[in-house]
Amino acid sequence: MAKADRAKQQQPAPTRSKQSFLVWGSIIFGLLFLVALPTMTLLLIGMLPTIVAYIIDRTQQKHTAFCVGGMNFLGVYYPLMQLWTGEHPIIGVADLMPDLVDFLMIYGAAGFGWLLFTSIPPVVAAFLTVMAQRRVATLRATQRHLIEEWGDDVAASSDEEQRPA
Amino acid sequence: MAESPFEMVNGDEAPARQRPVLLHDQYLIYPDSPLGDLDSLSAKAYAAEDRRDLGSKLFALICTPGLPPRERCMSILRGEKLPGLLPLVDRGAVDWPPLGQHCMAVIYERPLGGRLVSLIASGEIQVNEYDIQSRIIEPLAQALLSLDTRNIRHRSIRPKNLFFMDDEKEELVLGDFMTAPAGFDQPIVFETIERGMASPGGRGEGEASEDLYALGVTLVFLIQGANPVSNLNDDGLFKSKIEQGSYATLCGKTRIPMALLEPLRGMLSDDPEARWDLHKLEHWIDGKRQSPIQKKPAVKSDIPFSFAGVEHNTPRTLARSFTLSRAEAAKTIKEGNLAMWLRRGIGDTNKADAVETTVEAAKSRQNSALASDEFIVAKISIILDPDGPIRYKGLSFMPDAYGPALAVELLRRSDVQVAAEIIAREIPAIWFAYQSGGNESAKHEKSFRQLHGFLKIHDPGYGIERCLYEFNPSLPCQSPLVIQDYIVNIEDLLPALDKAANRVDTKLKPLDRHLVAFIASRFEEDIYSHLKALASPEEETNLIGMLNLLALMQWHLKTDSLYGLCSWVGGLLGPAINTYFNRTTRHEIEQEIPSLVRQGSLTEIFNLIESAEKRKQDKDGYAAATAEFAAAEGEIKAVEEGQLSQAESAIQSGQQAAAMTSVIIAMIVISILLINEIW
């Protein structure tokens, strides 16, 4: 009983920390917007595919977000560097928006991230299956050799050993 | 063992003359020269000669195969020349062509004067009352004394077994007595009442007084010149001997010389305690008078007991009659008149009570073997005649002659069931319970207890076969595999089996129940564990036990190489080799056996099959292989069971790999761009 009570008491803790994380995140995000509006605008618009991926990925590991995010950030990196190095001066709100090429580059990179995310897992799965089958074949060969050397009783004895009492 | 130096010619046309058979590389026995006048009842006589002394006059007696000769007597008397006894020169088994098998041959010096009765019949010699003492009694008494000092009984004294050794017919000797069990060849008239009632094989050696009784009967025959009781059949003879006494039966109607009255009364006394012994006879020969024998009247009833149409006045004749008509006897016994007759007619309340107790016990234990008619009759016969033989289902024997009786049963009927039942039902114990005791009696009782122990165990090496060989030290092994080789000594067994390998079906095992029992009784080493293995129902254990026993024998008896037997045994060892788990080891053993067969060593084959180190390696290897197989099986199962969930985990792994790939590519490219920007 005591254990169950303790568990109940501990349950609200993550929700609270999540809430505080959101609060603190929003504050920091707001402050960053005030301090570095162009950068934050670029990142917000450029990293939109990653944000979407983060939202739709219900797994805890958020592999989709990482996969899309990695490539998406690579796409954002160039306009971001241009922004920071002042090669592209911001005159109005419209200047805060990346141009078409940048958009293509940013979302193309994010799309490549999606492509990676959809293409690599089947390849890896197929590879792991082949590895397992190969291992089973090796083990079967070992067993055949043991039977050839020691007779069928080896298998019978192992069956007996594995049989529950 | 001796062997024939010549092969018999097989085929329809037998050679006109058979080649002589060689015994011990010294004595030649001529199968085509029978000497009918020297035959004994159980052994045929043939001419023989000594190759090293061609001047010696010899003859050979060829024993009946299966009939145990008296080996102990032969081993003691071989080469000895005792006064009054036919000298035994040698003996041994020979391959005897007329019978097509090995037989015991006994070589004697030839009695040149011939058989006494033949000489009397032809009138060449006359025995009168004046010279009977010096010519007959004295030499025979001398022979019996010599035998007595060697603890040997002759048990074959009769007129037809007396010979003159010399041409002058001066030296009278007793003929052969060793080619058959004690008393086997004796007509009933020469046997005491109790031993005469036993089967020929079951008469036993008895005491010296048994010989003196036969000597007394022999003297009566010689004095009268004929059989004085030739008009009596066996039943009449027994009835007369029991009711009138032996002396009255044999001498009643004839004139006996005064000088011989005293010894004949003494020797023919039916009371074993009162019967003359050799010292009394010796004293009489020396001229010393003995106290006269008081004739003890037989216990008789005035009221006869009628059974099987015959009226009996003594329990002894009735006991004999009961054992001859057992079904009728059992009916009579159960009617209850017997106890009454014993009580009122004989006046023996002890016997009457014992009969009543037996009948009551049988009624209370119906359907038990101990309540069977045969058992009741056997027990009642012991109660009525405790001095008589043990009689059961037609087999009767004195307790000291169980062994020969068993051997004769085997020889004549090939069935030892009755003899085995006697031991199993402990009938000898009943017989001993009615005896007054004594050292001999205790010794025999102990032997029967031992036999009962053997019989209770049905494994090879025990049972009735063991009893047969334990009680017949001179009986050859009766196994069909070696019976024709006449194997008496354990040393000859393996060579005989080696020879048998060439003629028998080698799919059969070289050890059967007779062979194992023979080995168990004649081989001096402790083979208890081997017998246990031979009794195992598992074929491989049985085979290893057999090989182990044969190898032990070869090693212990220092037998030469046994190529045939090794090949025979080697061909049977498949199941034993298969007890090894490792197939390579099995193959190696199978490959190696032929080379060991060529060495003729059973010990080497055994060491190959049953090496402790090899067994341990095999056992350990098998355990390791089993564990390895089980581990592999477990892993396979784990992999196969994980296949379903693995698809999901593989996808997860792929997603992780994709994420990592993406991040790493991004980091690398950014790093390159950053470095490029800085430079």
Side-chain angles (χ1 to χ4, degrees):
Chain A
M1 276 303 269
K3 271 185 182 176
D5 291 345
R6 229 176 288 140
K8 274 181 188 171
Q9 282 169 6
Q10 283 172 358
Q11 262 180 357
T15 318
R16 215 178 296 146
S17 68
K18 201 174 177 183
Q19 283 172 349
S20 63
F21 173 76
L22 281 172
V23 172
W24 281 105
S26 304
I27 292 168
I28 293 166
F29 207 65
L31 284 173
L32 280 172
F33 257 94
L34 288 174
V35 174
L37 181 67
T39 302
M40 288 309 289
T41 307
L42 181 65
L43 282 176
L44 188 65
I45 294 164
M47 296 297 283
L48 210 57
T50 303
I51 293 164
V52 171
Y54 186 85
I55 291 163
I56 63 168
D57 187 356
R58 310 299 297 171
T59 64
Q60 203 164 358
Q61 294 83 8
K62 303 288 181 193
H63 290 137
T64 322
F66 277 104
C67 193
V68 175
M71 287 296 113
N72 195 181
F73 186 73
L74 187 60
V76 171
Y77 177 75
Y78 185 69
L80 196 63
M81 287 306 288
Q82 280 184 329
L83 181 68
W84 286 349
T85 53
E87 288 172 13
H88 183 77
I90 300 166
I91 295 150
V93 177
D95 293 333
L96 288 173
M97 298 301 286
D99 59 18
L100 186 63
V101 177
D102 288 344
F103 262 118
L104 279 174
M105 191 172 69
I106 291 166
Y107 289 162
F112 184 68
W114 269 107
L115 192 67
L116 282 180
F117 186 75
T118 51
S119 63
I120 288 180
V123 172
V124 169
F127 177 74
L128 287 176
T129 306
V130 168
M131 290 286 285
Q133 283 171 350
R134 208 178 144 73
R135 178 69 185 145
V136 168
T138 310
L139 290 169
R140 289 273 180 233
T142 306
Q143 285 186 321
R144 268 197 303 278
H145 175 71
L146 286 171
I147 288 173
E148 274 169 22
E149 188 70 15
W150 297 94
D152 294 336
D153 286 351
V154 165
S157 301
S158 80
D159 285 349
E160 274 168 26
E161 276 176 18
Q162 287 180 355
R163 194 178 299 153
Chain B
M1 187 191 295
E3 56 187 15
S4 171
F6 308 106
E7 291 289 321
M8 272 286 287
V9 177
N10 293 324
D12 295 329
E13 290 178 21
R17 285 181 62 82
Q18 286 177 324
R19 305 282 175 85
V21 171
L22 191 60
L23 171 67
H24 296 162
D25 285 331
Q26 185 174 0
Y27 304 100
L28 286 165
I29 306 168
Y30 296 89
D32 56 353
S33 300
L35 302 172
D37 55 330
L38 293 176
D39 280 349
S40 75
L41 290 176
S42 300
K44 294 277 174 201
Y46 292 88
E49 67 180 11
D50 184 351
R51 290 206 303 189
R52 296 176 198 167
D53 180 10
L54 293 173
S56 62
K57 304 286 183 190
L58 306 174
F59 78 104
L61 284 173
I62 304 297
C63 301
T64 306
L67 205 57
R70 296 171 68 184
E71 174 59 31
R72 187 183 73 87
C73 305
M74 288 196 274
S75 64
I76 294 171
L77 297 176
R78 178 174 165 261
E80 283 215 55
K81 281 194 175 183
L82 300 177
L85 210 60
L86 194 65
L88 172 72
V89 178
D90 209 342
R91 91 293 188 207
V94 291
D95 187 1
W96 190 241
L99 294 177
Q101 69 174 96
H102 281 72
C103 301
M104 176 65 79
V106 186
I107 309 280
Y108 282 107
E109 279 188 24
R110 194 184 291 199
L112 302 175
R115 210 183 279 266
L116 174 67
V117 286
S118 305
L119 296 169
I120 292 173
S122 65
E124 277 187 66
I125 192 165
Q126 284 185 326
V127 179
N128 59 51
E129 60 185 84
Y130 303 107
D131 60 5
I132 197 165
Q133 179 178 342
S134 60
R135 291 192 74 177
I136 295 177
I137 299 177
E138 286 180 15
L140 299 191
Q142 190 63 38
L144 292 181
L145 273 168
S146 305
L147 290 176
D148 191 51
T149 56
R150 290 160 180 79
N151 197 26
I152 293 172
R153 316 283 164 242
H154 192 282
R155 303 291 284 109
S156 227
I157 302 171
R158 56 185 181 273
K160 285 184 179 172
N161 200 22
L162 297 175
F163 299 89
F164 283 108
M165 282 306 290
D166 53 341
D167 284 327
E168 293 76 31
K169 298 166 185 55
E170 293 293 328
E171 191 188 346
L172 188 73
V173 292
L174 285 166
D176 162 66
F177 64 98
M178 295 176 268
T179 52
F184 185 82
D185 290 336
Q186 284 288 69
I188 289 171
V189 68
F190 294 94
E191 288 288 290
T192 56
I193 296 170
E194 51 276 4
R195 291 190 186 265
M197 285 192 281
S199 309
R203 288 173 182 164
E205 290 211 1
E207 298 297 323
S209 66
E210 251 65 58
D211 278 340
L212 282 179
Y213 183 93
L215 177 60
V217 180
T218 302
L219 293 175
V220 174
F221 271 57
L222 292 176
I223 291 164
Q224 300 193 9
N227 178 358
V229 287
S230 57
N231 57 327
L232 296 176
N233 60 16
D234 286 355
D235 289 339
L237 181 62
F238 276 119
K239 188 172 169 61
S240 178
K241 274 190 176 184
I242 291 167
E243 292 182 357
Q244 312 297 323
S246 293
Y247 179 82
T249 300
L250 293 160
C251 311
K253 291 174 187 168
T254 49
R255 193 189 71 81
I256 299 295
M258 279 299 288
L260 295 177
L261 275 176
E262 189 185 348
L264 284 179
R265 277 189 191 281
M267 287 190 278
L268 294 176
S269 169
D270 292 318
D271 179 4
E273 299 297 320
R275 194 179 301 143
W276 272 22
D277 58 18
L278 283 166
H279 295 291
K280 282 186 180 166
L281 180 64
E282 212 178 357
H283 285 162
W284 177 80
I285 290 168
D286 291 342
K288 295 171 190 163
R289 267 191 70 82
Q290 304 292 311
S291 51
I293 293 278
Q294 295 299 316
K295 194 193 171 199
K296 210 193 269 182
V299 182
K300 276 190 196 173
S301 166
D302 293 334
I303 315 157
F305 188 94
S306 183
F307 176 72
V310 179
E311 294 195 333
H312 296 273
N313 294 91
T314 66
R316 209 168 203 188
T317 56
L318 183 60
R320 181 170 181 275
S321 195
F322 274 174
T323 56
L324 296 176
S325 312
R326 297 184 294 280
E328 204 177 332
K331 204 173 143 193
T332 306
I333 291 164
K334 287 173 187 170
E335 281 169 0
N337 295 333
L338 177 62
M340 201 193 302
W341 178 70
L342 287 169
R343 194 169 276 119
R344 292 186 187 167
I346 303 294
D348 192 335
T349 50
N350 289 339
K351 279 192 171 90
D353 291 345
V355 168
E356 280 174 345
T357 310
T358 304
V359 173
E360 287 306 315
K363 279 180 186 167
S364 65
R365 285 187 297 195
Q366 280 185 352
N367 301 327
S368 151
L370 301 182
S372 67
D373 287 355
E374 298 286 357
F375 181 81
I376 293 170
V377 172
K379 190 168 179 184
I380 296 294
S381 73
I382 291 170
I383 293 168
L384 294 178
D385 181 14
D387 295 330
I390 294 169
R391 288 166 277 198
Y392 180 78
K393 284 191 180 177
L395 175 63
S396 57
F397 61 91
M398 296 306 287
D400 63 344
Y402 178 75
L406 187 59
V408 172
E409 277 291 287
L410 185 72
L411 174 73
R412 289 192 169 169
R413 293 203 257 176
S414 300
D415 178 19
V416 287
Q417 182 60 31
V418 174
E421 272 181 35
I422 289 172
I423 303 299
R425 293 183 184 167
E426 298 186 82
I427 295 171
I430 301 169
W431 191 90
F432 287 113
Y434 284 91
Q435 305 306 308
S436 54
N439 287 341
E440 278 295 300
S441 185
K443 193 180 92 183
H444 294 311
E445 202 173 351
K446 192 179 162 196
S447 301
F448 276 105
R449 277 201 299 272
Q450 189 189 8
L451 284 186
H452 189 247
F454 288 142
L455 207 61
K456 275 199 293 188
I457 306 171
H458 301 291
D459 294 345
Y462 299 93
I464 194 69
E465 293 90 354
R466 178 73 176 270
C467 300
L468 181 68
Y469 295 112
E470 286 287 342
F471 266 56
N472 289 292
S474 62
L475 185 74
C477 182
Q478 299 296 302
S479 164
L481 298 173
V482 296
I483 191 165
Q484 65 189 74
D485 296 312
Y486 201 93
I487 305 301
V488 177
N489 301 313
I490 190 73
E491 292 82 7
D492 300 326
L493 183 62
L494 290 182
L497 281 173
D498 194 47
K499 250 171 51 185
N502 299 322
R503 65 168 187 265
V504 300
D505 179 6
T506 49
K507 284 179 187 144
L508 297 170
K509 285 184 194 165
L511 288 182
D512 58 17
R513 283 189 70 88
H514 266 290
L515 277 160
V516 179
F518 181 81
I519 294 166
S521 88
R522 307 281 162 88
F523 191 43
E524 286 172 358
E525 292 298 296
D526 177 16
I527 57 166
Y528 177 76
S529 58
H530 302 77
L531 297 182
K532 277 298 244 192
L534 284 169
S536 169
E538 288 165 9
E539 182 67 2
E540 56 273 15
T541 312
N542 192 299
L543 282 168
I544 291 172
M546 178 191 78
L547 174 62
N548 191 358
L549 178 57
L550 292 172
L552 176 71
M553 286 173 69
Q554 188 184 19
W555 175 76
H556 193 79
L557 300 171
K558 297 179 175 54
T559 312
D560 290 338
S561 297
L562 300 162
Y563 304 108
L565 186 57
C566 282
S567 172
W568 186 359
V569 172
L572 296 172
L573 289 177
I577 295 169
N578 289 343
T579 54
Y580 280 96
F581 296 109
N582 191 288
R583 291 183 175 183
T584 310
T585 309
R586 289 184 197 174
H587 185 66
E588 282 170 6
I589 291 173
E590 280 165 358
Q591 294 282 306
E592 213 167 326
I593 281 182
S595 66
L596 296 180
V597 165
R598 284 193 289 277
Q599 288 176 31
S601 170
L602 287 163
T603 318
E604 290 298 320
I605 294 177
F606 176 72
N607 289 338
L608 173 71
I609 299 274
E610 206 52 24
S611 154
E613 193 187 345
K614 207 179 277 179
R615 283 268 177 218
K616 189 177 180 309
Q617 276 177 3
D618 186 65
K619 206 176 161 189
D620 293 348
Y622 181 73
T626 307
E628 194 181 342
F629 191 95
E633 190 64 34
E635 198 175 335
I636 289 168
K637 207 175 268 182
V639 170
E640 284 174 349
E641 279 174 0
Q643 289 266 315
L644 290 174
S645 60
Q646 200 177 2
E648 200 179 318
S649 69
I651 296 290
Q652 269 190 8
S653 304
Q655 288 174 346
Q656 193 178 5
M660 285 176 71
T661 309
S662 171
V663 171
I664 288 167
I665 291 171
M667 285 170 72
I668 292 168
V669 174
I670 289 167
S671 302
I672 293 167
L673 289 173
L674 197 62
I675 292 163
N676 189 42
E677 195 71 33
I678 292 166
W679 261 282

